[in-house]
Amino acid sequence: MTSARDRDARRRVMVTGYGAVTPLGHSVEETWTAMLAGRSGIDIVDAIDVTGLAVRIGGQVRGFTPSRYMPPQVSRRADPYAQYALAAALGACEHAGLVVDDRLAPRVAVIIGSGYGPVGSIYRAAHTLRDKGPRAISPFAQVTTAMDSAAAEISMRLGTQGPSRAQSTACASGADAVGAGMRMISHGEADIVLVGGADACVTAVDLAGSGNAGALSRRNDNPTAACRPFDAHRDGFVMSEGAAVLVLEAAEVAEVRGATALAELVGYGASSDAHHWTAPHPEGRGACLAVEAALHDAGITGEDVDYVNAHGTGTLLNDATETAVLHRVLGDRVTRIPVSSTKSMTGHMIGAAGAVELVASIQVLRTGDVPPTINCDEPIDPDINFVPHQAQHHQGMRIAVSNSFGFGGHNAALVVRAV
């Protein structure tokens, strides 16, 4: 547990930039505008053959042009998940006004989370080996089909010389990557860390597997209404893809650079359910531990929270459990603040989800505008303001919590404060 003395001694961590590639757009601005409009990015999947699949809907990144962000030799070798991560990282650096020069490079790190990694490239390599034999396999296959390929591509493109690594904790990967980056800065291991998450798992294998597990919505006839977090008629999450990357900086480094702080990252907590591969603990034991740890790390209580970006997947078990967790951890405060799930519009971007949702949480603090939970026609808890259907404006937003809970019992929560 973090003591008050430890909090006072550690370096403050500022968010100075972010970029995103999502089913709603190829930038934070496009994604945020779509969120506030309540626009869904979910549709029938057309990038792959979905013939015979029980689930044929997903949140695809449409119209993405790799040549806008990278030379052909990179796009040819890089899996789409790494392409999205690189594009988001370039957007984040531009937003932060960050140029990694020789002086900064040794103190700049990269941590990219992913639940599935370069699965498309793995499947293609397996098919090539089967159909054409070993001589047809690319010499880059062993590195570009690795989980760390997104972090490596970003590091090589930007010239960062601090640690670069992958983080994989299923749906909590993006949030855990942010938390790891926060710890690196606060403990003096790095001055700047590019953190975030990426996934491109709208594939036949992953749609089939998650569909057979009963985790996915089967509303193929009405894709935009399929993801229904906290609605009584929800029937599963929607598989999606994308990426988000944030620039974290030690406060004093950002000040010297003349960078604008968008928010302060003040709390992080993580835990494990130790219960089941796909089902959350029925009493939300692990989720409670993560949220409580994040609040304690930030030196605040539930009464200080002004907004929650919920994990809110639209599955029967997650939404019921998360609702109970919020009541337990926040007490009566949860009935007086907005709680929304942006997955209702983006779908579940797996490893990218926590990073995208942290960006949305910061935007809420900066603007006072709260994105809605669309398709929430019959809320499972009438005492909570799930921001149904339409965005809301709230004054005086100072503290936001972003939750991420994943398969395998991985839980992570982040706390950000307005500056």
Side-chain angles (χ1 to χ4, degrees), residues 153-372:
E153 291 288 5
I154 292 169
S155 177
M156 288 187 285
R157 174 64 178 272
L158 298 177
T160 68
Q161 295 175 343
S164 63
R165 61 186 60 150
Q167 171 79 43
S168 189
T169 47
C171 313
S173 299
D176 277 329
V178 174
M182 173 188 174
R183 292 280 187 264
M184 289 186 74
I185 292 173
S186 63
H187 295 161
E189 298 171 21
D191 292 334
I192 300 172
V193 189
L194 276 74
V195 298
D199 261 309
C201 46
V202 182
T203 69
V205 170
D206 297 300
L207 289 174
S210 294
N212 291 343
L216 299 181
S217 172
R218 299 198 176 198
R219 283 188 169 87
N220 297 310
D221 58 338
N222 194 1
T224 60
C227 194
R228 313 182 66 82
F230 305 112
D231 181 70
H233 303 289
R234 65 198 185 279
D235 72 328
F237 76 86
V238 175
M239 189 75 78
S240 295
E241 61 186 5
V245 173
L246 301 89
V247 177
L248 306 185
E249 296 191 53
E252 67 274 17
V253 174
E255 184 177 4
V256 169
R257 272 205 326 112
T260 299
L262 307 175
E264 182 178 2
L265 187 59
V266 292
Y268 164 59
S271 69
S272 297
D273 280 359
H275 171 66
H276 190 274
W277 260 111
T278 58
H281 188 275
E283 297 174 3
R285 179 177 61 195
C288 274
L289 288 173
V291 180
E292 288 170 345
L295 295 177
H296 181 83
D297 192 42
I300 63 174
T301 70
E303 274 298 312
D304 298 305
V305 176
D306 299 306
Y307 169 65
V308 176
N309 189 294
H311 185 56
T313 58
T315 63
L316 291 174
L317 294 179
N318 173 85
D319 292 5
T321 300
E322 186 171 14
T323 300
V325 167
L326 291 175
H327 274 287
R328 195 172 311 147
V329 176
L330 303 185
D332 290 341
R333 182 68 173 171
V334 76
T335 66
R336 294 182 275 122
I337 62 172
V339 175
S340 68
S341 172
T342 47
K343 286 186 182 73
S344 61
M345 297 168 282
T346 64
H348 194 344
M349 292 176 284
I350 313 298
V356 171
E357 290 156 16
L358 180 62
V359 170
S361 299
I362 295 171
Q363 288 290 99
V364 168
L365 297 182
R366 297 183 68 206
T367 66
D369 295 325
V370 180

